[in-house]
Each structure stands twice: as structure tokens, then as C-alpha cells.
């Protein structure tokens, strides 16, 4: 069982992982297709949310 908390990524890190632009990443956050939280006014995305987004897209493509 993995009890470690998920790594929190910045928007630029998510942009690099998904090969998407800043506007698209914020659009995914705004439409709640990508889960995010705010930490002292800074947007952070759990790495698990990025993986879930990718898995969901792969499921749609199948």
C-alpha cells in the first residue's frame, strides 16, 4: 500500500508532461477534466491527477 502523498506539479511541469500549452492546461483545470488545488494562491496539480487524465484519454481512444 502506498501511503505517500502525491507529488504536486506546477502548471509548467504539467505542460511538459502532457506536451500542451499553458492555455490548454488551464482549460482542462477550468472544465474539471484535470484536478488541481491552490496552495497559497499557486495552482498545483497532483501527479496522480495527470496520470488519471492520461488513463481516461486512453480509455476513450480504445
Amino acid at each position: 500500500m502506498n501511503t505517500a502523498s502525491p507529488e504536486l506539479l506546477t502548471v509548467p511541469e504539467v505542460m511538459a508532461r502532457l506536451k500542451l500549452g499553458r492555455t490548454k492546461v488551464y482549460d482542462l483545470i477550468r472544465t474539471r477534466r484535470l484536478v488541481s488545488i491552490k496552495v497559497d494562491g499557486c495552482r498545483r496539480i497532483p501527479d496522480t491527477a495527470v496520470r488519471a487524465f492520461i488513463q481516461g484519454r486512453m480509455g476513450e481512444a480504445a
Side-chain angles (χ1 to χ4, degrees):
M1 181 173 163
N2 184 1
T3 59
S5 61
E7 179 183 359
L8 295 177
L9 305 171
T10 64
V11 169
E13 289 170 331
V14 173
M15 289 167 52
R17 285 194 184 189
L18 296 179
K19 310 287 192 277
L20 295 173
R22 181 178 184 273
T23 302
K24 185 60 179 176
V25 171
Y26 276 107
D27 182 57
L28 293 172
I29 292 168
R30 183 181 55 79
T31 59
R32 298 189 174 153
R33 290 181 284 169
L34 188 59
V35 175
S36 72
I37 61 171
K38 274 196 150 187
V39 179
D40 292 332
C42 299
R43 184 66 60 187
R44 295 293 181 257
I45 301 96
D47 64 336
T48 53
V50 175
R51 282 189 255 135
F53 174 77
I54 293 168
Q55 288 297 320
R57 298 297 296 174
M58 290 174 66
E60 289 175 14

